[in-house]
């Protein structure tokens, strides 16, 4: 965040007046499938050249290259297993809703004002067809948002 503060000053802005948003990719699960879901999602992005370069910029190129090579050679399931767990957990919040709340709190502690959650599911879209996902939407939503919409329980 300190480099962001310098950029704010350079732009003539007060850093205190800047809201820091962070998009966080989330896999809510109460089972062992969270890593598999994250790996599939990451592999989908790693196949696109612009995202692949972004991963390299983030220092993840070496970790993802073996998976990409296997995928391109046709070994889809082997490719997924090549994506290290550490990379999955660096790019995606994985766990129960309670565990993810703790992970979101870590981002807030680092200076993120507004976490923007993007739910990654087995189906690929975060539609409320899975009761776990529906409950996760409710449990991870800021309380003040629920009160404004009348959805608070």
């Amino acid at each position: 965040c300190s480099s962001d503060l310098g950029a704010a000053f350079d732009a003539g802005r007060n850093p205190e007046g800047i809201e820091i948003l962070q998009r966080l990719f989330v896999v809510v699960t109460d089972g062992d499938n969270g890593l598999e879901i994250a790996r599939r999602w990451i592999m989908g992005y790693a196949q696109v050249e612009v995202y692949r370069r972004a991963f390299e910029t983030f220092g993840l190129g070496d970790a993802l290259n073996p998976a990409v090579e296997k995928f391109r050679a046709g070994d889809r399931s082997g490719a997924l297993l090549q994506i290290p767990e550490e990379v999955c957990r660096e790019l995606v919040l994985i766990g129960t809703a309670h565990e993810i709340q703790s992970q979101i709190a870590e981002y807030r502690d680092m200076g993120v004002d507004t976490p923007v959650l993007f739910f990654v599911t087995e189906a690929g879209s975060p539609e409320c067809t899975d009761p776990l996902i529906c409950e996760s939407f409710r449990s991870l939503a800021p309380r003040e948002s629920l009160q404004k919409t009348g959805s608070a329980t």
Side-chain angles (χ1 to χ4, degrees):
C1 284
S2 61
S3 64
D4 295 337
L5 296 178
F9 283 120
D10 291 346
R13 300 208 36 209
N14 177 355
E16 297 299 318
I18 296 175
E19 180 180 17
I20 299 174
L21 287 88
Q22 174 71 43
R23 181 167 62 168
L24 301 172
F25 298 97
V26 175
V27 173
V28 179
T29 180
D30 56 3
D32 295 331
N33 63 340
L35 282 174
E36 180 181 343
I37 294 168
R39 283 183 171 115
R40 287 182 187 280
W41 177 82
I42 291 166
M43 183 55 68
Y45 276 93
Q47 295 307 306
V48 179
E49 191 58 34
V50 69
Y51 291 113
R52 196 166 146 69
R53 284 189 303 237
F55 286 139
E56 288 174 5
T57 300
F58 301 149
L60 300 174
D62 289 342
L64 291 174
N65 283 338
V68 171
E69 289 171 13
K70 278 192 178 269
F71 189 90
R72 289 183 177 164
D75 184 0
R76 306 300 198 238
S77 57
L80 294 176
L81 295 175
Q82 289 294 310
I83 300 174
E85 179 176 345
E86 304 80 48
V87 171
C88 293
R89 295 195 182 278
E90 184 172 337
L91 295 173
V92 182
L93 305 184
I94 302 169
T96 65
H98 179 72
E99 292 166 337
I100 288 172
Q101 284 174 332
S102 296
Q103 294 172 56
I104 292 169
E106 291 175 21
Y107 277 88
R108 287 188 178 278
D109 290 344
M110 289 186 284
V112 172
D113 298 309
T114 305
V116 179
L117 305 184
F118 181 94
F119 287 81
V120 180
T121 69
E122 285 184 278
S125 65
E127 296 177 14
C128 270
T129 54
D130 181 334
L132 177 63
I133 299 299
C134 295
E135 180 55 35
S136 298
F137 280 137
R138 287 187 285 279
S139 67
L140 293 173
R143 294 294 122 207
E144 59 273 11
S145 295
L146 293 174
Q147 290 168 351
K148 288 178 187 175
T149 64
S151 299
T153 54

